[in-house]
């Protein structure tokens, strides 16, 4: 069965992330108030003028949103609640940093707008985020951009001596005339560019016009020495990939390449393999949500064989079956520096799962492994768990949800989990582990695992006993944030017991409103997400500066 169909049959869940534009603007207003209103922090460091506060507030929210979105990308299976918390915390930290710096002033005392927000807000990135180096027109609603507006918007790129090294044109749809305006501007700065984001920049254009626009941008940027290139969300297909041929062929130093949601078929995948002459420096390759299939996977496997330094490979939701899964698995043997592997939502099956298990011992540096919804069944899951036991000592995330894993495989999976003392997140949702499997997983996590933050055992036909044991173990973990055991078979008494265990920290227990004490049935479930943004705004409206760390 197609993975897309399988995915559509999963139960509905409310998503708190990403926030709407209204919610983001609400937060900017709140940040502005924090920077101008009287508080213990403004009394200590001084407040900003409304004008300076508004400009800083926009930048703070931008940086926090990017960081929180990256956090959500790394943990995409939740409702987004942790991303919301991360978002608010980053904003709070950045507000304090701006207040501690105080108003910027010229010699005559005139207040200047702060040029940058400390790059620590991006957590994993060690560079400052500055408008002097990043030119980004992606904020605000999606919109077409025509020639006159392009001249106005792109004018900073024409300023002599500008130091922009990254451009982001995402979320703005360029027409042919706008592309012609951009062409000489991009050609004039291409030698200084290191990162180019052209994701979602031709939306709504007729195919012929979109291809012409891509050819123009490709020619303008040909010969640039880029470290990062993002062409996602452009419905490229083979024609689109080849429209970027001049740019792709000229790249020999790429470290990051993003081709997500691009309609990349077998032919398009072959074009990617053909047009990128060198991937020997590639560290990140994201190929999510395409229509690649097995033949296309064979072409991507060839790219992997040339990418010995690859650290982060995402090839999720790409309709790849057993043949393609085996080819990718074998090619991954080359990538001995791999840290993050994401193959979710494909149709590998047992055979490809076993093939992958033979390669995993080669990857001692793995920290995140996402293998949910691959039809692994017990045999594939056992093979992978055994392989991980012998490798990846620093594993932090293990995701094997939706693989028809039963209690029969639980001893091996548990033995693997027990050895992974650095685990932060464990996702075994939508399997058939039942009480027996839940108890074994609990016992595996009982000793150590002091960094564990999240465990998802939802939809596993777990009853009262398994739920109670899971709760008793997780509530003891010093860093624990969330246990999800919803959509199981826990009795009302069992739910009361679990809530009692978490009575001092109820926020660590996920919702329990969809448990069925009589066992699962086949009734179609549905839900409404109309209130999700309201819930998000409620979480953010009380944002305060909370401290100096």
């Amino acid at each position: 069965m197609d993975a897309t169909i399988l995915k559509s049959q999963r139960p509905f869940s409310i998503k708190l992330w990403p926030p709407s534009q209204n919610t983001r603007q609400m937060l900017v207003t709140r940040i502005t108030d924090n920077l101008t209103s009287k508080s213990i922090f403004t009394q200590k460091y001084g407040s900003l003028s409304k004008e300076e506060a508004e400009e800083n507030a926009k930048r703070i929210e931008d940086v926090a949103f990017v960081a929180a979105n990256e956090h959500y990308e790394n943990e995409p299976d939740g409702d987004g609640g942790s991303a919301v918390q991360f978002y608010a915390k980053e904003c709070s930290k950045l507000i304090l940093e701006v207040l501690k710096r105080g108003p910027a002033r010229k010699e005559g005392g005139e207040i200047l707008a702060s040029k940058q927000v400390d790059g620590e807000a991006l957590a994993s990135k060690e560079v400052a985020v500055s408008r002097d180096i990043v030119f980004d027109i992606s904020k605000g609603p999606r919109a077409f951009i025509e020639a006159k507006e392009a001249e106005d918007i792109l004018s900073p790129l024409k300023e002599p001596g500008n130091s922009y090294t990254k451009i982001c044109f995402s979320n703005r749809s360029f027409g042919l005339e706008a592309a012609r305006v951009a062409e000489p501007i991009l050609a004039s700065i291409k030698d200084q560019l290191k990162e180019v984001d052209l994701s979602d920049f031709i939306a709504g254009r007729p195919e012929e016009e979109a291809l012409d626009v891509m050819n123009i941008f490709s020619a303008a940027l040909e010969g640039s020495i880029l470290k990062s290139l993002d062409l996602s969300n452009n419905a490229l297909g083979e024609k689109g990939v080849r429209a970027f041929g001049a740019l792709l062929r000229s790249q020999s130093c790429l470290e990051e390449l993003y081709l997500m949601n691009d309609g990349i078929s077998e032919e398009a995948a072959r074009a990617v393999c053909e047009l990128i002459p060198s991937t020997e420096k590639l560290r990140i390759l994201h190929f999510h949500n395409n229509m690649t299939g097995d033949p296309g996977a064979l072409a991507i496997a060839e790219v992997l064989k040339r990418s010995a330094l690859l650290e982060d490979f995402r090839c999720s939701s790409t309709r790849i079956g057993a043949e393609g899964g085996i080819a990718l698995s074998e090619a991954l043997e080359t990538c001995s520096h791999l840290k993050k592997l994401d193959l979710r939502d494909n149709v590998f099956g047992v055979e490809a799962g076993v093939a992958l298990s033979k390669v995993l011992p080669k990857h001692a540096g793995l920290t995140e492994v996402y293998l949910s919804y691959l039809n692994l069944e017990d045999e594939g899951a056992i093979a992978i768990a055994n392989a991980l036991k012998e490798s990846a000592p620093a594993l932090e995330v293990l995701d094997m949800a939706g693989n028809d894993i039963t209690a029969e495989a639980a001893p091996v999976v548990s033995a693997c989990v027990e050895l992974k003392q650095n685990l932060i997140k464990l996702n075994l949702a939508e399997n058939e582990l039942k009480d027996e499997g839940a108890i074994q997983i609990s016992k595996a996590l009982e000793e150590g695992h002091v960094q564990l933050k999240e465990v998802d055992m939802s939809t596993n036909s777990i009853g009262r006993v398994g739920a109670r044991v899971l709760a008793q173990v997780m509530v003891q973990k010093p860093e624990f944030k969330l246990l999800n055991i919803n959509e199981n078979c826990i009795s009302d008494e069992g739910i009361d017991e679990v809530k009692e265990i978490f009575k001092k920290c109820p926020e660590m227990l996920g919702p329990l409103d969809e448990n069925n004490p009589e066992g699962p049935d086949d009734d179609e479930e549905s839900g409404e997400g109309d209130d999700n943004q309201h819930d998000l705004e409620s979480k953010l409206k009380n944002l305060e500066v909370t401290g100096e760390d």
Side-chain angles (χ1 to χ4, degrees):
M1 186 181 293
D2 193 296
T4 304
I5 297 175
L6 285 171
K7 188 173 182 180
S8 68
Q9 293 174 343
R10 293 177 208 147
F12 181 90
S13 61
I14 292 175
K15 296 289 186 183
L16 296 175
W17 192 265
S20 68
Q21 286 299 322
N22 286 340
T23 298
R24 293 183 65 184
Q25 184 55 50
M26 175 275 295
L27 188 57
V28 169
T29 301
R30 183 68 182 177
I31 294 169
T32 302
D33 290 343
N34 273 281
L35 294 172
T36 56
S37 303
K38 288 185 178 180
S39 69
I40 59 172
F41 297 101
T42 55
Q43 288 174 1
K44 181 175 180 180
Y45 301 116
S47 59
L48 277 61
S49 69
K50 191 171 188 340
E51 180 181 358
E52 185 178 5
E54 286 177 349
E55 182 161 355
N56 275 283
K58 290 175 183 177
R59 291 173 182 169
I60 286 170
E61 191 280 330
D62 280 350
V63 172
F65 176 81
V66 170
N69 203 53
E70 183 175 312
H71 173 85
Y72 181 68
E73 285 291 324
N74 290 335
E75 300 183 18
D77 292 325
D79 65 358
S82 63
V84 172
Q85 293 176 358
F86 190 94
Y87 185 39
K89 182 178 178 182
E90 290 299 294
C91 285
S92 177
K93 181 176 74 173
L94 292 171
I95 291 168
L96 185 60
E97 289 175 359
V98 169
L99 288 174
K100 288 168 73 174
R101 280 200 304 271
R105 298 179 181 272
K106 290 182 179 177
E107 289 182 1
E110 180 184 352
I111 293 178
L112 291 171
S114 175
K115 287 231 175 202
Q116 69 181 45
V117 174
D118 195 329
E120 287 181 2
L122 292 180
S124 62
K125 300 183 183 296
E126 297 179 354
V127 296
V129 177
S130 168
R131 290 196 172 183
D132 287 336
I133 62 172
V134 179
F135 182 80
D136 187 350
I137 62 171
S138 68
K139 309 306 177 187
R142 293 177 63 179
F144 280 18
I145 180 171
E146 304 301 340
K148 179 64 173 68
E149 186 180 3
E151 290 177 1
D152 294 338
I153 290 178
L154 303 182
S155 59
L157 296 176
K158 298 165 64 176
E159 294 177 3
N162 76 76
S163 55
Y164 294 112
T165 59
K166 176 180 178 178
I167 57 171
C168 178
F169 288 179
S170 180
N171 205 40
R172 304 300 297 272
S173 178
F174 279 76
L176 186 55
E177 295 306 315
R180 287 173 176 154
V181 170
E183 182 177 17
I185 298 174
L186 293 177
S188 70
I189 63 168
K190 68 180 181 181
D191 290 340
Q192 69 194 52
L193 292 177
K194 301 299 180 185
E195 300 178 60
V196 169
D197 184 346
L198 298 179
S199 60
D200 193 23
F201 85 121
I202 51 165
R205 303 291 179 177
E207 180 182 291
E208 184 177 354
E209 182 181 19
L211 290 172
D212 286 342
V213 169
M214 287 187 276
N215 272 299
I216 288 171
F217 274 75
S218 176
L221 293 168
E222 181 181 5
S224 54
I225 304 175
L226 302 179
K227 291 185 176 181
S228 177
L229 177 61
D230 191 343
L231 301 177
S232 302
N233 302 308
N234 284 313
L236 295 176
E238 182 186 9
K239 292 180 181 178
V241 172
R242 294 195 179 281
F244 277 111
L247 173 58
L248 292 172
R249 284 193 191 95
S250 68
Q251 300 306 305
S252 59
C253 296
L254 270 183
E255 296 180 12
E256 303 178 13
L257 177 61
Y258 303 90
L259 296 168
M260 299 185 287
N261 193 30
D262 272 331
I264 293 184
S265 60
E266 168 190 346
E267 294 79 12
R270 288 174 178 163
V272 170
C273 182
E274 168 195 334
L275 292 171
I276 304 179
S278 172
T279 56
E280 61 183 19
K281 295 184 179 180
L282 200 64
R283 296 184 300 103
I284 300 175
L285 175 59
H286 282 195
F287 206 71
H288 167 70
N289 197 29
N290 285 298
M291 47 193 290
T292 312
D294 283 342
L298 300 180
I300 300 305
E302 293 303 311
V303 176
L304 292 180
K305 291 176 183 177
R306 307 196 300 253
S307 308
L309 297 181
L310 196 66
E311 298 176 5
D312 181 348
F313 179 52
R314 184 180 186 188
C315 195
S316 49
S317 303
T318 48
R319 307 184 185 183
I320 295 174
E323 182 185 6
I326 292 170
L328 288 178
S329 298
E330 293 174 348
L332 283 170
E333 186 171 3
T334 305
C335 310
S336 58
H337 293 78
L338 205 62
K339 296 179 181 178
K340 181 177 178 180
L341 177 63
D342 186 348
L343 299 172
R344 281 174 287 190
D345 196 20
N346 284 298
V347 282
F348 278 27
V350 173
E351 189 178 358
V354 171
L356 180 60
S357 73
K358 295 176 181 178
V359 177
L360 289 176
K362 308 281 186 181
H363 301 297
L366 277 172
T367 58
E368 299 180 37
V369 176
Y370 300 90
L371 303 176
S372 53
Y373 308 106
L374 291 178
N375 297 344
L376 296 176
E377 302 179 11
D378 281 345
E379 184 179 347
I382 288 171
I384 286 171
N386 276 324
L388 287 174
K389 281 168 58 179
E390 308 302 324
S391 61
L395 192 68
E396 296 178 356
V397 178
L398 177 59
D399 181 351
M400 296 179 69
N403 277 304
D404 295 322
I405 304 172
T406 72
E408 184 177 336
V412 177
V413 175
S414 299
C416 171
V417 167
E418 186 173 8
L419 292 172
K420 304 307 168 188
Q421 288 293 316
N422 292 310
L423 267 184
I424 294 174
K425 178 180 179 180
L426 175 64
N427 185 3
L428 294 170
E430 296 190 52
N431 285 301
E432 286 293 329
L433 290 167
K434 300 185 177 179
D435 276 354
E436 180 183 349
I439 292 170
Q440 292 188 62
I441 295 296
S442 299
K443 295 298 183 184
L445 293 169
E446 195 168 18
E447 298 295 330
H449 294 92
V450 295
Q451 300 180 66
L452 190 65
K453 293 184 178 180
E454 184 176 342
V455 170
D456 192 339
M457 294 283 287
S458 59
T459 321
N460 263 289
S461 300
I462 297 169
R464 176 181 182 179
V465 175
R468 185 171 63 242
V469 174
L470 277 166
Q472 288 169 339
V473 171
M474 302 313 155
V475 78
Q476 302 296 326
K477 300 300 175 186
E479 298 294 324
F480 201 72
K481 302 296 183 185
L482 182 63
L483 172 63
N484 185 2
I485 49 174
N486 206 8
E487 299 182 70
N488 280 301
C489 310
I490 309 169
S491 65
D492 291 340
E493 294 82 358
I495 289 176
D496 289 341
E497 289 173 348
V498 169
K499 288 182 177 179
E500 178 66 19
I501 292 169
F502 282 95
K503 67 180 180 180
K504 293 183 179 179
C505 46
E507 72 282 357
M508 288 166 46
L509 181 62
L512 295 166
D513 56 329
E514 295 188 35
N515 271 286
N516 181 5
E518 298 179 0
D521 55 44
D522 296 326
D523 292 343
E524 184 175 344
E525 297 183 26
S526 63
E528 296 295 334
D530 295 340
D531 296 329
N532 61 330
Q533 290 300 331
H534 174 74
D535 292 343
L536 176 55
E537 289 171 16
S538 297
K539 288 176 180 290
L540 293 173
K541 69 180 181 180
N542 294 319
L543 174 71
E544 300 292 347
V545 187
T546 56
E548 299 192 25
D549 48 19

